[in-house]
Amino acid sequence: MKFLKSVSRYMKPYWDKYIIGILWLVVIDTTVIYVPQIMRNFANDYQNGMLTKDRLATYALLTLGAAVLMSIGRYFWRVCLFGSARRIEYDIRRELFEHWLKMDRDFYNHNKVGDLMAYATNDINAIRNFTGQGIMMSVDSSFMLIFTLVMMVRTSGLKLTVLTLIPVPFSAALIISYGGMFFKIFKDRQVAYAKLSDTTTEAFSGIQVIKAFVEEDHANDRFEEANQNYYQKNVNVIKKTTFLFPLMVLMAGLSYMLVIYLGARYVINGTISLGDFIAHYSYVGIIMWPARSLGMIINMIQQGSVGMERIKSMLKVEPKIKEPENPIALPRNKASVEFKNVSFKYPSSNRYALRNVSFKLEDGKSLALVGKTGSSKSTILKLIFREYLPDEGEILIDGVNVADLDLNMLTEKAGYVPQDNFLFSESIAENIAFAFDEEIDQKYIEDAAKMSGVYNDVTSFKKGFDTILGERGVTLSGGQKQRVSIARALIKNPKLLVLDDSLSAVDTDTEKVILDQIAKLQSTMIIVAHRISTIKNADEILFLEDGAIKERGNHDQLVELDGEYNQMYQNQLLESEMEAWDE
């Protein structure tokens, strides 16, 4: 079947462990089958008056030896089989995470965090259950079934064996016939779990907004709906699968009834001995395990099959932006950016976000992007870092088309401060030094903090740079988060520095200090801002409107032009004067 073929790829590196584990299972199964023979011989000796103290001691020691051997064997098969299943779980989760890291922004625009979490938890857990417990039960029940049937026939004959096991094939056939239904209900449950996970994650991420707008009731209703849906799907699974276990108990009861009725008659007639009857009775109990496990095995196969199908479908998703086969390296000591007649529209839109945009930013120069909200300033930055590719025109980084370059080299020599200012739930020092895999000198962290104007804020905290931030940096103010994010970019001493409205939460005095410090780096800089004071000293300013360049020049030239830029500038001057008057 497709599922077994797919999962065998992950099991292949651990075949030796599986073989060792299976061999121990066979040893245990053989021992389990042998125990009723001890009881059989014991009963026959007692019935025939041949039970002596020495034989009694021998039977006791054999029983103890079997228990010790089974204990040792169970330890080793658990280590081999369950340990391998955990390794497979680790391998799949790592492969899935590495795959997600390669995906482009459009992928994350269309896949919610909760859905992705369901893949990394429930789906992989279902696969692990099959590769561990499922494999164990399949092998164990198969060997146990074969060995037990052989011993039953040898002990009490074929006729009694067949008669006492009549209920078993009927229950097995019924269980197998429900396989398709199980697949559907397990898949429905996985989808419901993904929805619940997404709803919960979204609520926790936006808890401040929910409370600020007094939307707790609405958030609770959404969670209740998702929770109720997941509950109903679980109840449906329980209703559809729970009948298997009572059915197995019923079949076992019927088999025991037949053993007692028919076996007793065989003993009375002298066809079999009392010891044969006791052994046969024990074997019926043993063979019920393979029969009962059949339902559990089918459940695990179906759940694992659903999980594997979802994981495979996720791994098949290809990023729309791929690394070139032979990427071109970039020089490390300079950075220039050029747009040649670039037009672009987002995948989910028919409207162009950028229209025929052209500019050239020389090494060591600064470029500012300004305009009203929605004028596609940030879109230009996304195209530079190849989050998307243009529909028309060319984007050149150091003279190399962005589609052909080694993107890692660009990101290594670039410092990027996005609007989001995302911070991790780690210390401030770890957030600033995020770009470095190895531990770096504390001095570099402090120097970057000084350049970004956040040093004094950090040192005022009780634990200083070792202060652990809350989720997404929630324990810091907006301005502090922005400045920590800037320090994270500056510590790289970037040749290309990109600031996407990264000074909006700081006052103009702090802004000036930060910009003066940044100027000392002599980096090529692209800065997006709404505040004119942030970008007035840039070598070139592009005023964007509706995705096109409407005005361009330096600050003085644009003021003299007396267009949209100057109008924005005059409005901001007036606002500043009014604020000063109010103070």
Side-chain angles (χ1 to χ4, degrees), residues 441-453:
D441 196 305
Q442 181 74 11
K443 179 180 181 300
Y444 294 109
I445 296 173
E446 293 178 1
D447 288 345
K450 289 175 183 177
M451 291 182 67
S452 68

Side-chain angles (χ1 to χ4, degrees), residues 315-378:
L315 292 175
K316 285 180 180 178
V317 178
E318 294 287 342
K320 295 179 181 178
I321 311 261
K322 297 182 181 180
E323 286 291 319
E325 293 184 5
N326 299 301
I328 300 174
L330 295 174
R332 295 183 180 274
N333 59 350
K334 66 175 185 177
S336 63
V337 180
E338 183 176 4
F339 272 48
K340 291 184 175 180
N341 303 315
V342 172
S343 295
F344 168 75
K345 56 186 175 184
Y346 286 97
S348 57
S349 174
N350 293 321
R351 176 181 170 274
Y352 276 96
L354 288 179
R355 295 180 289 110
N356 198 32
V357 172
S358 297
F359 64 83
K360 188 171 184 179
L361 175 61
E362 299 288 353
D363 179 49
K365 299 295 184 179
S366 57
L367 173 72
L369 305 176
V370 68
K372 297 177 182 178
T373 301
S375 58
S376 296
K377 302 181 293 296
S378 296

Side-chain angles (χ1 to χ4, degrees), residues 242-292:
T242 304
F243 80 94
L244 295 176
F245 303 103
L247 177 64
M248 292 299 101
V249 173
L250 176 61
M251 294 300 107
L254 291 174
S255 292
Y256 281 130
M257 180 194 72
L258 291 171
V259 169
I260 293 173
Y261 178 74
L262 298 175
R265 293 183 61 182
Y266 273 53
V267 172
I268 293 170
N269 295 336
T271 307
I272 61 174
S273 67
L274 177 62
D276 295 338
F277 172 79
I278 292 173
H280 190 92
Y281 187 90
S282 299
Y283 285 133
V284 169
I286 293 173
I287 210 169
M288 284 301 118
W289 155 246
R292 286 197 304 270

Side-chain angles (χ1 to χ4, degrees), residues 100-320:
W100 285 338
L101 289 179
K102 297 175 184 176
M103 302 308 293
D104 50 52
R105 179 179 287 264
D106 190 60
F107 171 83
Y108 292 101
N109 289 342
H110 292 87
N111 289 275
K112 297 181 178 180
V113 174
D115 291 337
L116 300 181
M117 287 297 296
Y119 284 99
T121 52
N122 260 22
D123 290 315
I124 293 179
N125 289 343
I127 298 171
R128 184 204 67 217
N129 286 338
F130 171 78
T131 56
Q133 190 174 3
I135 293 294
M136 179 276 293
M137 293 175 68
S138 300
V139 173
D140 187 47
S141 59
S142 298
F143 278 104
M144 193 71 80
L145 178 65
I146 295 171
F147 291 172
T148 305
L149 285 174
V150 171
M151 294 304 296
M152 289 178 77
V153 173
R154 289 184 59 185
T155 300
S156 50
L158 178 62
K159 184 177 180 181
L160 182 60
T161 299
V162 172
L163 289 174
T164 54
L165 296 181
I166 286 175
V168 175
F170 291 101
S171 60
L174 181 63
I175 292 170
I176 293 172
S177 68
Y178 275 82
M181 178 196 70
F182 291 154
F183 182 87
K184 183 180 184 305
I185 61 175
F186 287 133
K187 186 172 184 178
D188 290 344
R189 184 176 67 177
Q190 296 293 75
V191 172
Y193 176 81
K195 177 63 177 175
L196 176 63
S197 179
D198 179 63
T199 302
T200 307
T201 303
E202 189 176 67
F204 289 155
S205 298
I207 191 66
Q208 289 179 309
V209 177
I210 291 172
K211 287 183 172 294
F213 285 85
V214 198
E215 283 296 304
E216 290 92 342
D217 290 342
H218 177 66
N220 188 61
D221 290 343
R222 288 191 63 205
F223 175 81
E224 180 62 25
E225 181 182 352
N227 194 28
Q228 182 69 21
N229 183 46
Y230 183 55
Y231 163 76
Q232 291 295 342
K233 292 296 186 288
N234 272 295
V235 169
N236 190 38
V237 168
I238 292 170
K239 285 181 178 179
K240 298 283 178 62
T241 60
T242 304
F243 80 94
L244 295 176
F245 303 103
L247 177 64
M248 292 299 101
V249 173
L250 176 61
M251 294 300 107
L254 291 174
S255 292
Y256 281 130
M257 180 194 72
L258 291 171
V259 169
I260 293 173
Y261 178 74
L262 298 175
R265 293 183 61 182
Y266 273 53
V267 172
I268 293 170
N269 295 336
T271 307
I272 61 174
S273 67
L274 177 62
D276 295 338
F277 172 79
I278 292 173
H280 190 92
Y281 187 90
S282 299
Y283 285 133
V284 169
I286 293 173
I287 210 169
M288 284 301 118
W289 155 246
R292 286 197 304 270
S293 66
L294 180 61
M296 298 171 66
I297 291 169
I298 289 178
N299 281 354
M300 289 183 185
I301 290 176
Q302 294 299 346
Q303 290 186 63
S305 188
V306 170
M308 193 76 249
E309 181 188 73
R310 282 168 52 84
I311 294 292
K312 280 178 63 179
S313 66
M314 176 56 65
L315 292 175
K316 285 180 180 178
V317 178
E318 294 287 342
K320 295 179 181 178

